Amino acid sequence: MNKKLSFKKSFEAKLKNSQVAAKKKAISLFTAMSVAHVDDEESNTCDVHHVEKALPGGDFYTGQWYKSLSHGRGNYLWTDGCMYIGEWFKGKIMGKGKFFWPSGATYEGDFKHGFMDGQGTFTGISGDTYKGSWIMNLKQGEGTYSYPNGDCYEGEWCHGYQEGHGIYRWKNGNHYDGQWNKGLMNGNGKMVWSNGNKYEGSWEEGIPKGNGTYKWPDGSSYIGVWCKDGKEQNGTYHPSDSQTDNLDWDPQQMFLEDLKDCKICPCEKILIMPSEKMPNWTGTAKENCRMQKRFDGSLSRHSFSDFDGFSSASEENSRDGDERGGNINQEGPVTTASSPQLVMAMKKQGKSISRGHKNYELMLNLQLGIRHSVGRPGPAITLELKSSAFDPNEKVWTRFPPEGSKHTPSHQSCEFRWKDYCPLVFRTLRKLFDVDAADYMLSLCGSDALRELSSPGKSGSFFYLTSDDKYMIKTMKKTEAKATYYKHVRSFKDTLVTKFFGLHCVKLTGAVQKKVRFVIMGNLFCTDYVIHRRFDLKGSFQGRTTAIPESEIDPTTTLKDLDLNYIFRLQKLWFQEFRRQVDKDCDFLERERIMDYSLLVGLHFREVHSTPTSGALTPTGNGDCENGEAPRLSQASNDQLVIDPTGQSSDRLGIKIAARAEKTVRKTDCELVGEPTGVTCDAILFFGIIDILQDYDISKKLEHAYKSMQYDPTSISAVDPKLYSKRFRDFIFKVFVQDT
């Protein structure tokens, strides 16, 4: 009883000092709500005790405590009025709990690493209520949203929006049952009005578009092609047997009148996510300082390791991320005073091309040419391109003398000629991919030098990276812009195939007459997340292992099929979207007779860990999370590791996809995908299909014939595109599976 009175007095004093009215609700909530214990086999229950702590910065915690961290059940009050009541694990919000905002909004349900993750109910300040599934602070999966005006949506969600199949019911009795995309009616669906009228057919961005049928209760109907632009609207009215009153009905009435009362209400925005509210445990005891020093010391003692268990307590304290940041529209990682991140100087991939480098003049020529091409005025861009735009002869040659000309600036490089292939096509692609022309030129032609990757690819091509990592430049032996590629990426905005932004050629004049063709494409790993592991996956055996010593493998090493020791478990909706898109992309590549492509996969482990040992750890790691000791973070001397950087969650397939990576063990040499071990950790995935320019030409047919005499024909990379596509899909769908 004395303990409760002591807590109540200290808490009431805290409320007065903070001057946040919403905190007054907490007095009754702290004593009324009961949350079950978190099971923890590693902890000694004798060491778990109850504490009441005033924390640095004015925060306040009361609850169970273990080794200088909250562990079990407890209540945390921030000075800004936010409050959490529920389960903790080693200083992290983990398990069942309830989060309160100063505005009066609440979330009650599952938490994971501070994120709303699992099943939970959000109640907004205006009476909005969402009850359903969450993934990393976003509505994902099945859920029901009740709006304050009486409307209701029940169905599927994807990265925070209505997406998939769902039913929206308006308070006035109207309802829509059908497909959704990005929070709008999109695809096939049926709208039923309270007066009995119905529309069933195709929708696009919230309105009818395409084939559809409008029906009246008396049986009459209008069947046709629908469009908000009356000029493109056409169809036929079919009267019922009993009457013909509606013969003069105008189809545009549906857009002007019927849909006026069918607006989709927006969901309430959450400006501060629970994952942003990192508890401030620093300074609570001298032991914290000792733990942090020991943890920091391990950074310099060990090499980079693989990750096989859960992260340590001190590590988890230093890295709580918010997928959205303080504002729901904020992008990228956010570092706050209450959430320090461990950062060290990072070695960027590749070697900077400076004066004296053998390709320095080529880089200057390339930058001059791109600045000229992108900055040159052109016709208005339309997504509807004529076939002539894809003609291989559709190119523009420009001469760049050192002294300059009427159309080119003076420069310090040698004289060269610049060729711009299919300029209108690539201008349109850049618009389609939402690339700003000024930002594009700044990345490629800014004052910072390009970086050359250490070695050419298998094809003999060289690769260069821009200083901001946004774009990659690859030299080529031939050039071709296909209309089918343009049609494919335009039709499927979530395509995984490489994005191309330009196709050019530099030809040096004089005695050398050297000609270099190159393509500019997006860099899949342009992210603030550290890519801890990267894999190039084809689904073949022959030559598909990294031929370097294990001790030399680092985060920039690209591993191959036989090096893969994970499967990736995707959330249901992401997996379904992934499978659909891989099928569409492979169908496209098969039709174009393309083979030898790969799925490039990058992993950022959200739980960075290794086992403390004497001496360096191998890159594949010897982590053992069952030894009872707190694992420590490993770090290569030349790499930067930002521990669990925060960032905006993905709204596009292949970019920042939350998943579980499960370790596998290959038991025989005849299997590409090993057996799952049950050891998993949370990861952020980046993936895309690369190397899509290789036709199954005569050279590849000869390669196939030659290697077939030495190896199993099905195990080599160079095979017929139809067989390649099937083998690739079979393999990828074993590596990427649905999380159950």
Side-chain angles (χ1 to χ4, degrees), residues 212 262 368 505 510 585 631 694:
C262 298
L368 283 166
C505 178
D585 289 340
Q694 179 59 60

Side-chain angles (χ1 to χ4, degrees), residues 448-711:
D448 294 325
L450 301 176
R451 303 197 311 277
E452 184 179 57
L453 299 190
S454 57
S455 61
K458 182 181 176 182
S459 63
S461 298
F462 283 84
F463 293 87
Y464 304 93
L465 280 171
T466 57
S467 59
D468 58 6
D469 289 334
K470 284 185 179 180
Y471 303 102
M472 182 174 285
I473 301 167
K474 177 183 179 181
T475 61
M476 301 174 61
K477 294 181 179 178
K478 61 180 180 178
T479 56
E480 185 177 9
K482 293 187 176 182
T484 49
Y485 169 81
Y486 176 79
K487 291 176 182 176
H488 182 75
V489 297
R490 184 183 174 189
S491 300
F492 303 107
K493 62 181 180 61
D494 285 328
T495 180
L496 296 174
V497 300
T498 306
K499 287 181 167 57
F500 295 117
F501 302 106
L503 193 57
H504 311 285
C505 178
V506 170
K507 184 178 180 181
L508 303 180
T509 59
V512 180
Q513 292 286 314
K514 182 181 179 182
K515 184 183 289 186
V516 181
R517 302 179 181 90
F518 56 90
V519 64
I520 301 171
M521 50 195 178
N523 178 19
L524 185 63
F525 297 149
C526 177
T527 172
D528 289 319
Y529 286 91
V530 174
I531 302 299
H532 297 125
R533 278 290 179 270
R534 56 189 74 198
F535 295 93
D536 181 285
L537 306 176
K538 293 179 182 287
S540 58
F541 281 90
Q542 189 57 40
R544 299 303 296 162
T545 186
T546 304
I548 60 175
E550 189 178 39
S551 59
E552 296 180 14
I553 297 175
D554 65 23
T556 64
T557 303
T558 301
L559 304 172
K560 299 181 181 179
D561 302 61
L562 293 175
D563 305 312
L564 181 67
N565 56 346
Y566 292 99
I567 60 172
F568 307 114
R569 299 191 176 276
L570 302 181
Q571 194 268 344
K572 178 182 176 182
L573 291 180
W574 273 128
F575 176 73
Q576 291 173 344
E577 191 172 342
F578 171 77
R579 191 174 183 106
R580 280 195 300 267
Q581 193 57 54
V582 168
D583 281 336
K584 291 172 183 173
D585 289 340
C586 286
D587 287 343
F588 159 68
L589 296 170
E590 184 181 326
R591 287 194 304 270
E592 294 302 309
R593 303 289 292 166
I594 301 294
M595 42 75 65
D596 218 18
Y597 46 87
S598 316
L599 186 73
L600 184 63
V601 182
L603 283 80
H604 168 83
F605 292 95
R606 295 179 60 208
E607 298 168 345
V608 183
H609 40 265
S610 65
T611 304
T613 63
S614 57
L617 297 176
T618 64
T620 53
N622 300 309
D624 181 5
C625 56
E626 298 178 358
N627 58 10
E629 299 182 58
R632 293 177 291 180
L633 179 67
S634 298
Q635 178 67 41
S637 57
N638 291 328
D639 294 324
Q640 171 187 357
L641 185 59
V642 181
I643 297 177
D644 196 25
T646 60
Q648 188 178 18
S649 62
S650 178
D651 60 356
R652 186 166 72 81
L653 185 65
I655 303 298
K656 288 189 286 192
I657 303 298
R660 286 195 305 130
E662 181 172 354
K663 292 283 285 186
T664 60
V665 175
R666 191 176 287 106
K667 295 183 179 180
T668 65
D669 293 337
C670 61
E671 59 181 8
L672 272 178
V673 182
E675 292 292 326
T677 62
V679 178
T680 65
C681 60
D682 290 339
I684 304 294
L685 300 186
F686 299 79
F687 49 82
I689 297 175
I690 63 170
D691 296 337
I692 63 168
L693 300 175
Q694 179 59 60
D695 294 325
Y696 191 54
D697 54 17
I698 186 63
S699 64
K700 285 296 177 180
K701 290 177 182 178
L702 289 173
E703 180 185 342
H704 173 78
Y706 175 73
K707 289 186 176 180
S708 294
M709 293 186 290
Q710 299 174 297
Y711 311 105

